[in-house]
Structure formats: structure tokens, C-alpha cells
Amino acid sequence: MEFNVSNINVDKAHFLSAISIYLYKPHVVNKRVTTVRFASALNRDDKKYSTGTNVVDKRTLIAKNPRIYHDQDEYILSNDISVEFRPIVLYSMGTKSCCVQVSAYRFELIVHENKIRFTVFDDKVDKEMLWLKDSLLPKFIKWCQSNIENSTENTTLKLISIEEYQREYERLKFSSIHTRLFNHFGIDITHEHADPQQSNHRSSLIKSKPEFYSTKFSIIQFLFEHLLTENKSLTLSAAYDLLPNELGEQLKSENGGLKSIILSYRHAIKFDPETKLITIADPQLNSITLKKKESSKLSVKTKPCFFYAFHPNSCPLTDEQCAFFHCEK
Ligand SMILES: [Zn+2]
């Protein structure tokens, strides 16, 4: 089913900014979702969806009420004028939670016709389809039309609220709370205060952080902040020794070891193959113009800019220039 919204006067920048909002804050429009987590790596199965023109990413919508709904994984296929969401069908394994299966859908900017086309890859008119058409689409159009300054405000990834923290805490009570909270939110409950009003976010001590934590992300963030406070380069083994115990432990279960993690975050940290030293990357190299030369695929920003989020002088590039997502400080 196809819906066209005409006379929108939306340019590419506004369209991409609306997409960023929906990528990072789906809970603003989807009340079943509490937060979102991006896959830290894609496996071969995931990559088969990637074609020459589409970049694939994968995110998990974390259910607000896991007793009722499943977490939902979905692929995101994007190029610079369209983004498609393909929820991955779950064959529920005897769990009680019901699986709300939304069809695949796509937002597409048709600049020369001055319209946005919204396609739902299903002709069935059901509750889910109506949600896409009557809730998601109008919100998306509104985001497209708010000006960029305001939309940066909208994309602000605020610290998780105490309610969300409590919910996730309850939910994880019987599993490995420590590791998961640390991974998801950067919360170290070994230093937890008894008073729930008292903030125990590691993040409250420094700047706020994006919500999609992975072990790799936490490791890079730790080293990034270390490199800029100490202002000198590190060898791999020195970097390894610096890691807090939890991260060092989690690193053991990550594929490829510290070096490959660092290589996959070269927009934040640089490993020089000749000197074998680790330093902070040059943020000027993260500009869209330079990145575009490397890859024609780059379009929707799904990775956070470390300089913007964690560097005291922020990112020297503007939101538009930087190839990475500027999460609010
Ligand atoms: Zn940046």
C-alpha cells in the first residue's frame, strides 16, 4: 500500500534528520518500545540483504513491557533518499508475549515531485497498518518539517530516565543484571546507591551518552576518554591493561580482540600499523565529503560521533559536515 504526501517542501537534510530521530528515538512514536539498541556487528546472514545501493543496519526495539511484547529485531536498509524497515519475523518459542508483526515499510523522498512516499509492503488493513499510516507517518512528516535546529533538539539522546532504568532493572533481576545494565546503559550497579532517586549513571559524572551500548562501544569510549585526558599514545597491551576489569572480562567474549575493535572504530581511535600506537583519530577525516569519496553508500548516520559526545572541545565539524551522528551532550 502506498501513501504520498505532497507539497512538503522537504530537502534531503531535513529528511535525513527525521530518519535519525526515528532511528534513535522510536519510543517517541512507538509506545510499546522503551529504547533501541543497534547491532554492534552484522553477520553474514544479515549482510545478504545489503545490495550495492543499500546500506544495512540492524536494530532491536526493546519492549516496554516484556510480559506482553517481544523485543523486535529489524533490518534497516537505506540510501540517501530512502529508508526501509524490515522487521524480522519471530517464530515465538512458546513464550506468552504476543508478537506484533508490522510489515516492512519504506520512507522515500521524491525531491523533484516535492513529496514523500510511504510504502507499506502489505495490503492488509489491520491495526498495525493503521498505526503506520495514522501515527508513524504524520509524526515523520512533522519531523521532516521542523527546522534543523529544532530537530537536533528532538534527536537529543537524553540520559535514560529513572523509570526506564527501574523497568530494565526489574526485567533483568533474574538474569545477569550487572553485565546487561553495564552493557546497555553504562550503569555499574556495584556502586549502586540505595536511594533510587540518587543517580548512579556513570554517565551523569561525565557527559551524557547514547543509549545503545555494546561492550565494544564501552571499550572505545573508555580508551577515547583516556587518550584525551592523558594526551599521549598507547600501545595495545597498555590499552588492554588500562581497561576496567568488567570490560577486560567482556572483551574475552568479543570476536577479534582489542585491535580489531579499535580498527572498527577508526573514526574515534586510530591504530598506526607502523608505530603500533593508539591515538585519538583526526575528526577532520570524519567529514562527509571525505567519507563520500571512500564509499558511495554513506547516507543515514547510524553511528555516534565520539568527538561530539565525549571530547571536551566537541566535534570541529558541523552536524551537516560530520559523517557521524551528533548525539546531544
Ligand atoms: Zn562529529
Side-chain angles (χ1 to χ4, degrees), residues 79-94:
N79 56 42
D80 60 340
I81 49 144
S82 81
V83 63
E84 187 173 316
F85 294 86
R86 291 195 191 168
I88 299 165
V89 181
L90 268 183
Y91 298 99
S92 85
M93 298 148 291

Side-chain angles (χ1 to χ4, degrees), residues 68-254:
I68 304 177
Y69 302 108
H70 286 300
D71 292 348
Q72 174 72 59
D73 288 342
E74 56 188 18
Y75 287 118
I76 301 158
L77 278 71
S78 60
N79 56 42
D80 60 340
I81 49 144
S82 81
V83 63
E84 187 173 316
F85 294 86
R86 291 195 191 168
I88 299 165
V89 181
L90 268 183
Y91 298 99
S92 85
M93 298 148 291
T95 50
K96 275 189 204 139
S97 49
C98 66
C99 187
V100 178
Q101 200 58 55
V102 176
S103 326
Y105 52 97
R106 179 170 63 203
F107 295 99
E108 195 178 347
L109 176 67
I110 306 174
V111 183
H112 63 279
E113 292 178 31
N114 195 16
K115 70 182 175 197
I116 285 176
R117 177 171 293 157
F118 182 59
T119 312
V120 181
F121 298 94
D122 192 1
D123 286 329
K124 208 165 53 248
V125 180
D126 54 14
K127 233 168 97 185
E128 275 63 52
M129 149 72 96
L130 292 174
W131 177 79
L132 289 171
K133 175 173 96 53
D134 297 334
S135 300
L136 179 59
L137 179 59
K139 260 277 172 35
F140 186 85
I141 300 291
K142 210 179 114 203
W143 293 331
C144 284
Q145 290 176 327
S146 59
N147 59 47
I148 301 269
E149 265 86 351
N150 289 342
S151 65
T152 336
E153 212 170 274
N154 288 341
T155 53
T156 298
L157 297 169
K158 60 169 175 13
L159 291 171
I160 58 160
S161 67
I162 198 75
E163 291 82 8
E164 281 175 32
Y165 167 69
Q166 291 292 11
R167 262 197 302 273
E168 191 68 3
Y169 186 92
E170 281 304 309
R171 176 177 178 183
L172 300 174
K173 224 176 200 162
F174 302 105
S175 66
S176 158
I177 303 170
H178 188 159
T179 325
R180 291 201 54 190
L181 280 178
F182 190 77
N183 281 351
H184 290 188
F185 301 132
I187 294 166
D188 189 346
I189 57 170
T190 49
H191 305 296
E192 192 180 11
H193 294 278
D195 178 2
Q197 293 306 315
Q198 188 91 39
S199 171
N200 52 18
H201 301 156
R202 267 195 312 155
S203 26
S204 64
L205 300 174
I206 23 176
K207 288 176 179 180
S208 75
K209 314 228 167 110
E211 293 168 1
F212 36 98
Y213 265 73
S214 66
T215 301
K216 290 180 186 177
F217 189 97
S218 309
I219 289 173
I220 297 298
Q221 189 219 324
F222 179 87
L223 293 177
F224 185 88
E225 291 185 328
H226 178 87
L227 286 167
L228 65 92
T229 35
E230 296 300 314
N231 202 18
K232 58 176 195 252
S233 51
L234 284 172
T235 61
L236 268 177
S237 65
Y240 188 87
D241 291 342
L242 276 174
L243 293 178
N245 288 343
E246 299 102 330
L247 287 177
E249 279 304 308
Q250 289 164 32
L251 178 61
K252 290 181 189 156
S253 55
E254 293 287 331

Side-chain angles (χ1 to χ4, degrees), residues 305 307-308 315 317 322 324 326:
C305 173
F307 292 90
Y308 192 85
C315 177
L317 304 166
C322 186
F324 296 88
H326 279 182

